[in-house]
Coordinates of all heavy atoms in Angstrom, one line a residue:
A110 N 9.7 -17.6 3.7 CA 10.5 -16.8 4.6 C 11.9 -17.4 4.7 O 12.1 -18.6 4.6 CB 9.9 -16.7 5.9
E111 N 12.9 -16.6 4.9 CA 14.3 -17.0 5.0 C 14.5 -17.9 6.2 O 15.4 -18.8 6.2 CB 15.2 -15.8 5.1 CG 15.3 -15.0 3.8 CD 16.2 -13.9 3.9 OE1 17.1 -13.9 4.8 OE2 16.1 -12.9 3.1
S112 N 13.7 -17.8 7.3 CA 13.9 -18.6 8.5 C 13.3 -20.0 8.3 O 13.6 -20.9 9.2 CB 13.2 -17.9 9.6 OG 11.8 -18.0 9.4
G113 N 12.7 -20.3 7.2 CA 12.1 -21.6 7.0 C 10.7 -21.8 7.6 O 10.1 -22.8 7.5
R114 N 10.2 -20.7 8.4 CA 8.9 -20.7 8.9 C 7.9 -20.2 7.9 O 8.3 -19.3 7.1 CB 8.9 -19.9 10.2 CG 9.8 -20.4 11.3 CD 9.7 -19.5 12.5 NE 10.6 -19.9 13.5 CZ 11.1 -19.1 14.4 NH1 10.8 -17.8 14.4 NH2 12.0 -19.6 15.3
P115 N 6.7 -20.6 8.0 CA 5.7 -20.0 7.1 C 5.4 -18.6 7.4 O 5.6 -18.1 8.5 CB 4.4 -20.9 7.3 CG 4.6 -21.5 8.7 CD 6.1 -21.6 8.9
E116 N 5.1 -17.8 6.4 CA 4.8 -16.4 6.5 C 3.4 -16.2 5.8 O 3.2 -16.7 4.7 CB 5.9 -15.6 5.8 CG 5.7 -14.1 6.1 CD 7.0 -13.4 5.5 OE1 7.9 -13.2 6.3 OE2 7.0 -13.0 4.4
Y117 N 2.5 -15.5 6.5 CA 1.2 -15.2 6.0 C 1.1 -13.8 5.5 O 1.5 -12.9 6.3 CB 0.2 -15.6 7.0 CG 0.3 -17.0 7.5 CD1 1.0 -17.2 8.7 CD2 -0.2 -18.1 6.8 CE1 1.2 -18.5 9.2 CE2 0.0 -19.4 7.3 CZ 0.7 -19.6 8.4 OH 0.9 -20.9 8.9
I118 N 0.7 -13.5 4.3 CA 0.6 -12.2 3.7 C -0.8 -11.9 3.3 O -1.5 -12.8 2.7 CB 1.6 -12.1 2.6 CG1 3.0 -12.4 3.0 CG2 1.5 -10.7 1.9 CD1 4.0 -12.5 1.9
Y119 N -1.3 -10.7 3.5 CA -2.6 -10.3 3.0 C -2.6 -8.9 2.4 O -1.8 -8.1 2.8 CB -3.7 -10.5 4.1 CG -3.7 -9.3 5.1 CD1 -4.5 -8.2 4.8 CD2 -2.9 -9.3 6.2 CE1 -4.5 -7.1 5.7 CE2 -2.8 -8.3 7.1 CZ -3.6 -7.2 6.8 OH -3.6 -6.1 7.7
T120 N -3.6 -8.6 1.6 CA -3.8 -7.3 1.0 C -5.3 -7.1 0.8 O -5.9 -8.0 0.2 CB -3.1 -7.1 -0.3 OG1 -1.7 -7.3 -0.1 CG2 -3.3 -5.7 -0.8
L121 N -5.9 -6.1 1.2 CA -7.3 -5.7 0.9 C -7.3 -4.3 0.4 O -6.6 -3.4 1.0 CB -8.1 -5.8 2.2 CG -8.2 -7.1 2.9 CD1 -8.9 -7.0 4.2 CD2 -8.9 -8.1 2.0
S122 N -7.9 -4.0 -0.7 CA -7.9 -2.6 -1.2 C -9.2 -2.4 -1.9 O -9.9 -3.3 -2.4 CB -6.8 -2.4 -2.2 OG -6.9 -3.2 -3.3
T123 N -9.6 -1.1 -2.0 CA -10.7 -0.6 -2.8 C -10.3 0.7 -3.4 O -9.4 1.4 -2.9 CB -12.0 -0.5 -1.9 OG1 -13.1 -0.2 -2.8 CG2 -11.8 0.6 -0.9
D124 N -11.0 1.0 -4.5 CA -10.7 2.3 -5.2 C -11.9 2.9 -5.7 O -12.9 2.2 -5.9 CB -9.6 2.2 -6.3 CG -10.1 1.3 -7.4 OD1 -10.9 1.7 -8.2 OD2 -9.5 0.2 -7.5
Q125 N -11.9 4.2 -5.9 CA -13.0 5.0 -6.5 C -12.5 6.1 -7.4 O -11.6 6.8 -7.0 CB -13.8 5.6 -5.3 CG -15.0 6.4 -5.8 CD -16.1 5.6 -6.5 OE1 -16.5 4.6 -6.0 NE2 -16.5 6.1 -7.6
S126 N -13.0 6.1 -8.6 CA -12.6 7.2 -9.5 C -13.3 8.5 -9.1 O -14.6 8.5 -8.8 CB -13.0 6.8 -10.9 OG -12.2 5.8 -11.4
L127 N -12.6 9.5 -8.9 CA -13.2 10.8 -8.6 C -13.4 11.6 -9.9 O -14.3 12.5 -9.9 CB -12.2 11.6 -7.7 CG -11.9 10.9 -6.4 CD1 -10.9 11.8 -5.6 CD2 -13.1 10.6 -5.6
S128 N -12.7 11.3 -10.9 CA -12.9 11.9 -12.3 C -12.2 11.0 -13.3 O -11.7 9.9 -12.9 CB -12.3 13.3 -12.3 OG -10.9 13.3 -12.3
D129 N -12.2 11.4 -14.5 CA -11.5 10.6 -15.5 C -10.0 10.5 -15.3 O -9.4 9.5 -15.7 CB -11.7 11.2 -16.9 CG -13.1 11.0 -17.4 OD1 -13.9 10.2 -16.9 OD2 -13.5 11.8 -18.4
K130 N -9.4 11.4 -14.5 CA -8.0 11.4 -14.3 C -7.5 11.3 -12.9 O -6.3 11.3 -12.6 CB -7.4 12.7 -14.9 CG -7.6 12.8 -16.4 CD -6.8 13.9 -17.0 CE -7.0 14.0 -18.5 NZ -6.0 13.2 -19.2
V131 N -8.5 11.2 -12.0 CA -8.1 11.1 -10.5 C -8.8 9.9 -9.9 O -10.0 9.7 -10.1 CB -8.5 12.4 -9.8 CG1 -8.1 12.3 -8.3 CG2 -7.8 13.6 -10.4
K132 N -8.1 9.1 -9.1 CA -8.6 8.0 -8.5 C -8.1 8.0 -7.0 O -6.9 8.4 -6.8 CB -8.2 6.7 -9.1 CG -8.7 5.4 -8.5 CD -8.2 4.2 -9.2 CE -8.9 3.9 -10.5 NZ -8.5 2.6 -11.1
I133 N -8.9 7.5 -6.1 CA -8.5 7.4 -4.7 C -8.5 5.9 -4.4 O -9.3 5.1 -4.8 CB -9.4 8.2 -3.7 CG1 -8.8 8.2 -2.3 CG2 -10.8 7.6 -3.7 CD1 -9.5 9.2 -1.4
V134 N -7.4 5.5 -3.6 CA -7.3 4.1 -3.3 C -7.1 4.0 -1.8 O -6.3 4.7 -1.2 CB -6.1 3.4 -4.0 CG1 -5.9 2.0 -3.6 CG2 -6.2 3.6 -5.5
V135 N -7.8 3.0 -1.1 CA -7.6 2.8 0.3 C -7.2 1.3 0.4 O -7.8 0.4 -0.2 CB -8.9 3.0 1.1 CG1 -8.7 2.7 2.6 CG2 -9.3 4.5 1.0
E136 N -6.1 1.0 1.2 CA -5.7 -0.4 1.3 C -5.1 -0.7 2.6 O -4.7 0.2 3.3 CB -4.7 -0.8 0.2 CG -3.4 -0.1 0.3 CD -2.4 -0.5 -0.8 OE1 -2.7 -1.5 -1.5 OE2 -1.4 0.2 -0.9
T137 N -5.2 -1.9 3.0 CA -4.5 -2.4 4.2 C -3.8 -3.7 3.8 O -4.2 -4.4 2.9 CB -5.5 -2.7 5.4 OG1 -4.7 -3.1 6.5 CG2 -6.5 -3.7 5.0
Y138 N -2.6 -3.9 4.4 CA -1.8 -5.1 4.0 C -1.0 -5.4 5.2 O -0.7 -4.6 6.1 CB -1.0 -4.9 2.8 CG -0.1 -3.6 2.8 CD1 1.2 -3.7 3.3 CD2 -0.6 -2.4 2.4 CE1 2.0 -2.6 3.3 CE2 0.2 -1.3 2.4 CZ 1.5 -1.4 2.9 OH 2.3 -0.3 2.9
G139 N -0.5 -6.6 5.2 CA 0.4 -7.0 6.3 C 0.9 -8.4 6.2 O 0.6 -9.1 5.2
F140 N 1.7 -8.8 7.1 CA 2.2 -10.2 7.1 C 2.4 -10.6 8.6 O 2.6 -9.8 9.5 CB 3.5 -10.4 6.3 CG 4.7 -9.7 6.8 CD1 5.6 -10.5 7.6 CD2 5.0 -8.4 6.6 CE1 6.7 -9.9 8.1 CE2 6.2 -7.9 7.1 CZ 7.0 -8.6 7.9
A141 N 2.5 -11.9 8.8 CA 2.7 -12.5 10.1 C 3.4 -13.8 10.0 O 3.3 -14.5 9.0 CB 1.4 -12.7 10.8
Q142 N 4.2 -14.1 11.0 CA 4.8 -15.4 11.2 C 4.2 -16.0 12.4 O 3.9 -15.3 13.4 CB 6.3 -15.3 11.3 CG 7.0 -14.8 10.0 CD 8.5 -14.8 10.2 OE1 9.0 -14.5 11.3 NE2 9.2 -15.0 9.1
P143 N 4.2 -17.4 12.5 CA 3.7 -18.0 13.7 C 4.5 -17.5 15.0 O 5.7 -17.4 14.9 CB 3.9 -19.5 13.5 CG 3.9 -19.6 12.0 CD 4.5 -18.4 11.5
H144 N 3.8 -17.3 16.0 CA 4.4 -16.9 17.3 C 5.0 -15.5 17.3 O 5.9 -15.2 18.1 CB 5.4 -17.9 17.8 CG 4.8 -19.3 17.8 ND1 3.8 -19.7 18.5 CD2 5.2 -20.4 17.0 CE1 3.5 -21.0 18.3 NE2 4.3 -21.4 17.3
H145 N 4.6 -14.6 16.4 CA 5.1 -13.3 16.3 C 3.9 -12.3 16.1 O 2.8 -12.8 15.6 CB 6.0 -13.1 15.1 CG 7.4 -13.7 15.3 ND1 7.6 -15.0 15.0 CD2 8.5 -13.2 15.8 CE1 8.8 -15.3 15.3 NE2 9.4 -14.3 15.7
H146 N 4.0 -11.1 16.5 CA 3.0 -10.1 16.3 C 2.9 -9.8 14.8 O 3.9 -9.7 14.1 CB 3.2 -8.8 17.0 CG 3.1 -8.9 18.5 ND1 1.8 -9.0 19.0 CD2 3.9 -8.9 19.5 CE1 2.0 -9.1 20.3 NE2 3.3 -9.0 20.6
A147 N 1.7 -9.7 14.2 CA 1.5 -9.3 12.8 C 2.0 -7.9 12.6 O 1.9 -7.0 13.5 CB 0.0 -9.4 12.5
Q148 N 2.5 -7.6 11.4 CA 2.8 -6.2 11.0 C 1.7 -5.8 10.0 O 1.7 -6.3 8.9 CB 4.2 -6.2 10.4 CG 5.3 -6.5 11.4 CD 6.7 -6.4 10.8 OE1 6.8 -5.8 9.7 NE2 7.6 -7.0 11.5
N149 N 0.9 -4.9 10.4 CA -0.2 -4.4 9.6 C -0.1 -3.0 9.2 O 0.3 -2.2 10.1 CB -1.6 -4.6 10.3 CG -1.8 -6.1 10.7 OD1 -1.9 -6.9 9.8 ND2 -1.8 -6.3 12.0
T150 N -0.4 -2.6 8.0 CA -0.3 -1.2 7.5 C -1.5 -0.8 6.8 O -2.2 -1.7 6.1 CB 0.9 -1.1 6.6 OG1 2.1 -1.6 7.3 CG2 1.2 0.3 6.1
A151 N -1.9 0.4 6.8 CA -3.0 1.0 6.0 C -2.5 2.2 5.4 O -1.7 3.0 5.9 CB -4.2 1.3 6.9
D152 N -3.0 2.5 4.1 CA -2.6 3.7 3.5 C -3.8 4.2 2.6 O -4.7 3.5 2.3 CB -1.3 3.6 2.7 CG -1.4 2.6 1.5 OD1 -2.4 2.5 0.8 OD2 -0.4 1.9 1.3
L153 N -3.6 5.4 2.2 CA -4.5 6.1 1.3 C -3.7 6.7 0.1 O -2.6 7.3 0.4 CB -5.2 7.3 2.0 CG -6.1 8.2 1.2 CD1 -7.4 7.4 0.8 CD2 -6.5 9.4 2.1
A154 N -4.1 6.5 -1.1 CA -3.4 7.0 -2.3 C -4.3 7.8 -3.2 O -5.5 7.5 -3.3 CB -2.8 5.8 -3.0
L155 N -3.7 8.9 -3.8 CA -4.4 9.6 -4.8 C -3.5 9.3 -6.1 O -2.3 9.5 -6.1 CB -4.4 11.1 -4.5 CG -5.4 11.6 -3.6 CD1 -5.2 13.1 -3.3 CD2 -6.8 11.3 -4.1
L156 N -4.2 8.9 -7.1 CA -3.5 8.6 -8.4 C -4.0 9.6 -9.4 O -5.2 9.8 -9.6 CB -3.9 7.2 -8.8 CG -3.8 6.1 -7.8 CD1 -4.2 4.7 -8.4 CD2 -2.4 6.0 -7.2
F157 N -3.1 10.2 -10.1 CA -3.4 11.2 -11.1 C -2.9 10.8 -12.5 O -1.7 10.5 -12.7 CB -2.7 12.6 -10.8 CG -3.2 13.2 -9.5 CD1 -2.6 12.9 -8.3 CD2 -4.3 14.0 -9.5 CE1 -3.0 13.5 -7.1 CE2 -4.8 14.6 -8.3 CZ -4.1 14.3 -7.1
L158 N -3.8 10.6 -13.4 CA -3.4 10.2 -14.8 C -3.0 11.5 -15.5 O -3.9 12.3 -15.9 CB -4.6 9.5 -15.4 CG -4.3 8.9 -16.8 CD1 -3.2 7.8 -16.7 CD2 -5.5 8.2 -17.4
V159 N -1.8 11.7 -15.7 CA -1.3 12.9 -16.4 C -1.5 12.8 -17.9 O -1.9 13.8 -18.6 CB 0.2 13.2 -16.1 CG1 0.7 14.4 -16.9 CG2 0.4 13.3 -14.6
S160 N -1.3 11.6 -18.5 CA -1.5 11.3 -19.9 C -1.8 9.8 -20.0 O -1.8 9.1 -19.0 CB -0.3 11.7 -20.7 OG 0.8 10.8 -20.5
N161 N -2.0 9.3 -21.2 CA -2.3 7.9 -21.3 C -1.1 7.1 -21.0 O -1.2 5.9 -20.7 CB -2.7 7.6 -22.8 CG -4.1 8.0 -23.0 OD1 -4.9 8.2 -22.1 ND2 -4.4 8.3 -24.3
D162 N 0.1 7.7 -20.9 CA 1.3 7.0 -20.6 C 2.0 7.4 -19.3 O 3.1 6.8 -19.0 CB 2.3 7.2 -21.8 CG 1.8 6.7 -23.1 OD1 1.1 5.6 -23.1 OD2 2.0 7.3 -24.1
L163 N 1.4 8.3 -18.5 CA 2.1 8.8 -17.3 C 1.1 8.9 -16.2 O 0.0 9.5 -16.3 CB 2.7 10.1 -17.6 CG 3.5 10.8 -16.4 CD1 4.7 9.9 -16.0 CD2 3.9 12.2 -16.8
Q164 N 1.4 8.3 -15.0 CA 0.6 8.4 -13.8 C 1.5 8.8 -12.6 O 2.6 8.3 -12.4 CB -0.1 7.1 -13.5 CG -0.9 7.1 -12.3 CD -1.6 5.8 -12.0 OE1 -2.4 5.4 -12.8 NE2 -1.2 5.1 -11.0
L165 N 1.0 9.8 -11.8 CA 1.6 10.2 -10.6 C 0.8 9.6 -9.4 O -0.4 9.7 -9.4 CB 1.7 11.7 -10.5 CG 2.5 12.4 -11.6 CD1 2.4 13.9 -11.4 CD2 4.0 12.0 -11.5
D166 N 1.5 9.1 -8.4 CA 0.9 8.6 -7.2 C 1.4 9.3 -5.9 O 2.6 9.5 -5.8 CB 1.2 7.1 -7.0 CG 0.9 6.2 -8.2 OD1 0.1 6.6 -9.0 OD2 1.5 5.2 -8.3
F167 N 0.4 9.7 -5.1 CA 0.8 10.3 -3.8 C 0.2 9.4 -2.7 O -1.1 9.2 -2.7 CB 0.2 11.7 -3.7 CG 0.8 12.7 -4.7 CD1 0.1 12.9 -5.9 CD2 2.0 13.3 -4.5 CE1 0.6 13.7 -6.9 CE2 2.5 14.1 -5.5 CZ 1.8 14.3 -6.7
I168 N 1.0 8.9 -1.8 CA 0.5 7.9 -0.9 C 0.9 8.3 0.5 O 2.1 8.7 0.8 CB 1.2 6.5 -1.2 CG1 0.9 6.1 -2.7 CG2 0.7 5.4 -0.3 CD1 1.9 5.1 -3.2
A169 N 0.0 8.1 1.5 CA 0.4 8.3 2.9 C -0.3 7.2 3.7 O -1.4 6.7 3.4 CB -0.2 9.7 3.4
G170 N 0.5 6.8 4.7 CA -0.1 5.7 5.5 C 0.6 5.5 6.8 O 1.5 6.3 7.2
S171 N 0.2 4.5 7.5 CA 0.7 4.2 8.9 C 0.6 2.7 9.2 O -0.3 2.1 8.8 CB -0.1 5.0 9.9 OG 0.3 4.7 11.2
G172 N 1.5 2.3 10.1 CA 1.3 1.0 10.7 C 0.1 1.1 11.6 O -0.2 2.1 12.1
I173 N -0.6 0.0 11.8 CA -1.8 0.1 12.6 C -1.8 -0.9 13.8 O -2.8 -1.2 14.4 CB -3.1 -0.2 11.8 CG1 -2.9 -1.5 11.0 CG2 -3.3 0.9 10.8 CD1 -4.2 -1.9 10.2
M174 N -0.6 -1.3 14.2 CA -0.5 -2.2 15.3 C 0.8 -1.8 16.1 O 1.8 -1.5 15.5 CB -0.3 -3.7 14.9 CG -1.5 -4.2 14.2 SD -3.0 -4.5 15.2 CE -2.5 -5.8 16.1
H175 N 0.7 -1.8 17.4 CA 1.8 -1.7 18.4 C 3.0 -0.9 17.9 O 2.9 0.2 17.5 CB 2.3 -3.1 18.8 CG 1.2 -4.1 19.1 ND1 1.4 -5.1 19.9 CD2 0.0 -4.3 18.6 CE1 0.3 -5.9 20.0 NE2 -0.5 -5.3 19.2
A176 N 4.2 -1.6 17.9 CA 5.4 -0.9 17.5 C 5.5 -0.6 16.0 O 6.5 0.1 15.6 CB 6.6 -1.8 18.0
Y177 N 4.6 -1.1 15.2 CA 4.7 -0.9 13.8 C 3.9 0.3 13.3 O 3.5 0.4 12.2 CB 4.2 -2.2 13.1 CG 4.9 -3.4 13.6 CD1 4.3 -4.4 14.3 CD2 6.3 -3.6 13.3 CE1 5.0 -5.5 14.8 CE2 7.0 -4.7 13.8 CZ 6.3 -5.6 14.5 OH 7.0 -6.7 15.0
A178 N 3.6 1.2 14.2 CA 2.8 2.4 13.9 C 3.6 3.5 13.2 O 3.3 4.7 13.3 CB 2.1 2.9 15.1
E179 N 4.6 3.2 12.5 CA 5.4 4.2 11.8 C 4.6 4.8 10.7 O 3.8 4.1 10.0 CB 6.7 3.6 11.2 CG 7.6 3.1 12.3 CD 8.9 2.5 11.7 OE1 9.1 2.6 10.5 OE2 9.7 2.1 12.5
K180 N 4.7 6.1 10.5 CA 4.0 6.8 9.4 C 4.9 7.0 8.2 O 6.1 7.0 8.3 CB 3.6 8.2 9.9 CG 2.8 8.1 11.3 CD 1.7 9.0 11.4 CE 1.0 8.9 12.7 NZ 0.9 7.7 13.4
F181 N 4.3 7.0 7.0 CA 5.1 7.2 5.8 C 4.4 8.0 4.8 O 3.1 8.1 4.8 CB 5.5 5.8 5.3 CG 4.4 5.0 4.8 CD1 3.9 5.0 3.5 CD2 3.8 4.1 5.7 CE1 2.8 4.2 3.1 CE2 2.8 3.3 5.3 CZ 2.3 3.3 4.0
V182 N 5.1 8.6 3.9 CA 4.6 9.3 2.7 C 5.5 8.8 1.5 O 6.7 8.7 1.7 CB 4.7 10.8 2.9 CG1 4.3 11.5 1.6 CG2 3.9 11.3 4.1
E183 N 4.8 8.6 0.4 CA 5.5 8.1 -0.8 C 5.0 8.8 -2.0 O 3.9 9.2 -2.1 CB 5.3 6.6 -1.0 CG 5.8 5.7 0.2 CD 5.5 4.3 0.0 OE1 4.8 3.9 -0.9 OE2 6.0 3.5 0.8
L184 N 5.9 8.9 -3.0 CA 5.5 9.5 -4.3 C 5.8 8.4 -5.3 O 6.8 7.7 -5.2 CB 6.3 10.7 -4.6 CG 6.2 11.9 -3.7 CD1 7.1 13.0 -4.1 CD2 4.8 12.4 -3.7
G185 N 5.0 8.2 -6.3 CA 5.2 7.2 -7.3 C 5.1 7.8 -8.7 O 4.3 8.8 -8.9
L186 N 5.7 7.2 -9.6 CA 5.6 7.6 -11.0 C 5.6 6.3 -11.8 O 6.4 5.4 -11.7 CB 6.9 8.4 -11.4 CG 7.1 8.7 -12.9 CD1 6.1 9.8 -13.2 CD2 8.5 9.2 -13.2
S187 N 4.5 6.2 -12.7 CA 4.4 5.1 -13.6 C 4.4 5.6 -15.0 O 3.7 6.5 -15.4 CB 3.0 4.4 -13.3 OG 3.0 3.9 -12.0
L188 N 5.2 4.9 -15.8 CA 5.4 5.3 -17.2 C 5.2 4.1 -18.1 O 5.9 3.1 -17.9 CB 6.8 5.9 -17.4 CG 7.2 6.4 -18.8 CD1 6.2 7.5 -19.2 CD2 8.6 6.8 -18.8
R189 N 4.3 4.2 -19.0 CA 4.1 3.1 -20.0 C 5.1 3.2 -21.1 O 5.2 4.3 -21.7 CB 2.7 3.1 -20.5 CG 2.4 1.9 -21.4 CD 1.1 2.0 -22.2 NE 0.1 2.9 -21.6 CZ -1.2 2.6 -21.5 NH1 -1.6 1.5 -22.0 NH2 -2.0 3.4 -20.9
I190 N 5.8 2.1 -21.3 CA 6.8 2.2 -22.4 C 6.5 1.3 -23.5 O 5.7 0.4 -23.4 CB 8.3 1.9 -21.9 CG1 8.3 0.6 -21.1 CG2 8.7 3.0 -21.0 CD1 9.7 0.2 -20.7

């Protein structure tokens, strides 16, 4: 961390294939510094394999603690080059 204090980071995730081209992912992640509230987030993603070289991701999630309960939606694109 830039402040010189230790920062603790975690990620937990699981996924399940719904078909050969669709996968669902559930994850939670966060970080904390000593003497501060942890910032924890959870999200759900649908991954679509368009081709062997192209994947689309649709992600929605929310903070799960106190003031960090902001909601978000993200789109992702992965291209194998």
Side-chain angles (χ1 to χ4, degrees):
E111 290 180 25
S112 67
R114 295 182 185 151
E116 186 172 272
Y117 305 98
I118 300 170
Y119 77 91
T120 302
L121 300 171
S122 66
T123 188
D124 62 72
Q125 176 66 46
S126 293
L127 302 178
S128 72
D129 289 342
K130 296 191 177 267
V131 180
K132 182 184 284 190
I133 190 167
V134 179
V135 178
E136 67 180 346
T137 184
Y138 54 92
F140 73 93
Q142 292 181 328
H144 312 294
H145 289 84
H146 288 289
Q148 294 183 16
N149 301 297
T150 304
D152 65 39
L153 174 71
L155 281 174
L156 313 178
F157 295 92
L158 187 61
V159 178
S160 70
N161 287 337
D162 299 321
L163 180 65
Q164 177 178 293
L165 299 175
D166 307 338
F167 299 94
I168 306 158
S171 174
I173 53 176
M174 298 289 289
H175 315 210
Y177 307 110
E179 294 180 4
K180 309 220 181 326
F181 62 90
V182 175
E183 299 175 352
L184 301 174
L186 174 73
S187 299
L188 180 63
R189 184 188 337 221
I190 51 175

